[in-house]
Amino acid sequence: MKKLLAIVLVLCMVVAVAACGSKDAATGADNKSDAAGQTLKEKAANFDRKNQFLTVGTGPTSGIYFPIGGAFATALKDYGYQTSAEATNATGQNIQNILKGDCEIAIAMQDAVMQAYTASGAYEGKEPASDLRALMRLWPNYVQLVTTANTGIKSVEDLRGKRVGVGAANSGVEINARMILAAYGITYDDITPDYLAYGEAIDNMKNGQCDAVFVTSGLPNATVMELGVSYDMVVVPIDGEGREKLVSEYPYYAKSVIPANTYNNKEDVEGVFVYNIMLVRKDLPDEMVYDLLVGIFENISTIKASHNAANKNIDITFGVDDIQLPLHPGAEEFWKDNGYIK
């Protein structure tokens, strides 16, 4: 009898364990289904940001990438991330830093980004940077060609035979300069290129060691403003057939004007601009990238306060229509949820 009772108890235990196993398995399946059923917005809301460190790629301390990039770092720190803003040589270095994983987000000019992405222009012969992804649109960068009245330079064509500050080698400014000169049929063989950041090149111009300088920046640029106060500065128009050719071949350029009295210019000056965009590492989790955008726009006042260009041009309402680079999936979902992508 005792033996029979023991057998019955063992059988009961086996059934109970099996039942528990089935219940646990079912519960596990249910939990998995719940997790899979979460939207990216819900996952982002629960993202543990306090243990995530972000480096923001900015630009030289003399330009506006630096204060605006620094404001992004501050805004995301206030949102709960650990952040750092890194001064760089701007677009060219930021592209490489994103690809190498040395920063998580970085500011860059879209023309250079698209050339890197397609291995064209300045990046011809290199492997396409197919891992580049966009987070959001930023502000327009105006290509400004400045000189002083004593050089006699009044048009892009007048640059032939002159010493021209074209920006640091392979920088976004230098890519702009090369493309604009080419649109007017001018190569570096027709000028003496000065490969310096525009702040250094303008210092050389003050000393008579440079005739004209390309500056690609938001408006107004403090370095150009100072030149216009102290010297008889001329903002050279980028117009005519050369401009028509540029914007027809490269759709990321748009016609623009530098408004009268931006500097010492009494009238509007014809020109072009190209948008800056914020790059983001392709390998960041979708929910993290979604959460980054939530944090940026929750703290947008910090970013707007950093510079006039940011105040006027960085806002969720501008959407992402101007971005030609593929969006990160997390960014794409964010912009869809907010009605800016159909």
Side-chain angles (χ1 to χ4, degrees):
M1 185 68 180
K2 289 182 179 180
K3 186 175 182 181
L4 180 59
L5 181 59
I7 292 172
V8 170
L9 288 172
V10 169
L11 288 173
C12 289
M13 290 176 64
V14 169
V15 172
V17 170
C20 289
S22 298
K23 186 177 180 181
D24 288 344
T27 303
D30 288 343
N31 289 339
K32 185 176 181 181
S33 176
D34 290 343
Q38 277 191 317
T39 65
L40 191 56
K41 182 177 182 179
E42 291 167 337
K43 291 180 182 179
N46 296 315
F47 186 73
D48 182 15
R49 64 185 74 99
K50 67 179 181 295
N51 293 317
Q52 298 293 329
F53 190 87
L54 296 172
T55 298
V56 182
T58 66
T61 56
S62 61
I64 72 171
Y65 277 24
F66 186 74
I68 296 178
F72 269 87
T74 300
L76 288 168
K77 183 177 182 180
D78 291 343
Y79 187 57
Y81 285 91
Q82 299 181 55
T83 65
S84 173
E86 179 182 354
T88 70
N89 290 330
T91 295
Q93 184 179 347
N94 287 346
I95 289 172
Q96 294 307 310
N97 285 354
I98 283 286
L99 293 172
K100 292 187 295 184
D102 291 338
C103 59
E104 281 64 48
I105 61 175
I107 304 170
M109 281 190 281
Q110 185 162 224
D111 57 342
V113 169
M114 292 309 299
Q115 287 190 12
Y117 184 72
T118 59
S120 60
Y123 291 85
E124 188 172 355
K126 299 182 180 180
E127 286 293 318
S130 56
D131 282 347
L132 289 175
R133 292 293 181 271
L135 181 72
M136 59 185 289
R137 192 197 98 164
L138 298 175
W139 70 96
N141 256 358
Y142 290 77
V143 183
Q144 303 157 70
L145 178 57
V146 298
T147 186
T148 51
N150 65 314
T151 66
I153 297 171
K154 297 180 179 179
S155 67
V156 177
E157 287 89 347
D158 291 339
L159 295 177
R160 295 179 189 275
K162 304 293 186 179
R163 181 178 289 276
V164 182
V166 296
N170 298 318
S171 66
V173 176
E174 198 259 324
I175 289 172
N176 292 155
R178 191 186 296 270
M179 295 171 76
I180 289 167
L181 290 171
Y184 288 85
I186 301 172
T187 71
Y188 279 7
D189 291 336
D190 300 315
I191 65 171
T192 302
D194 204 350
Y195 295 98
L196 292 172
Y198 59 72
E200 298 172 83
I202 285 176
D203 284 341
N204 278 0
M205 187 162 63
K206 293 175 182 177
N207 298 324
Q209 298 173 321
C210 188
D211 298 306
V213 179
F214 279 95
V215 177
T216 305
S217 168
L219 294 178
N221 178 278
T223 305
V224 176
M225 186 175 289
E226 188 274 331
L227 178 69
V229 169
S230 305
Y231 293 79
D232 189 6
M233 182 185 76
V234 175
V235 182
V236 180
I238 299 171
D239 57 5
E241 292 183 7
R243 183 171 74 165
E244 295 296 333
K245 181 179 180 182
L246 181 76
V247 298
S248 65
E249 289 185 6
Y250 304 107
Y252 34 76
Y253 282 98
K255 296 178 184 179
S256 66
V257 297
I258 297 173
N261 301 313
T262 299
Y263 301 115
N264 63 344
N265 55 308
K266 302 303 182 186
E267 298 179 350
D268 291 349
V269 179
E270 297 292 316
V272 294
F273 72 71
V274 60
Y275 274 108
N276 294 297
I277 61 175
M278 184 67 84
L279 299 175
V280 61
R281 274 175 46 185
K282 180 183 177 182
D283 61 343
L284 294 186
D286 294 356
E287 58 269 31
M288 178 179 178
V289 173
Y290 193 111
D291 187 56
L292 289 176
L293 284 164
V294 173
I296 286 167
F297 289 112
E298 280 192 9
N299 294 279
I300 194 64
S301 59
T302 297
I303 295 166
K304 285 179 172 293
S306 66
H307 193 278
N308 183 55
N311 185 45
K312 289 184 175 180
N313 298 287
I314 302 179
D315 193 89
I316 193 170
T317 59
F318 289 117
V320 288
D321 287 348
D322 302 292
I323 297 180
Q324 298 184 23
L325 186 73
L327 292 166
H328 187 289
E332 184 174 8
E333 194 68 21
F334 173 88
W335 291 107
K336 281 181 180 177
D337 284 352
N338 284 279
Y340 294 98
I341 299 177
K342 294 182 180 179

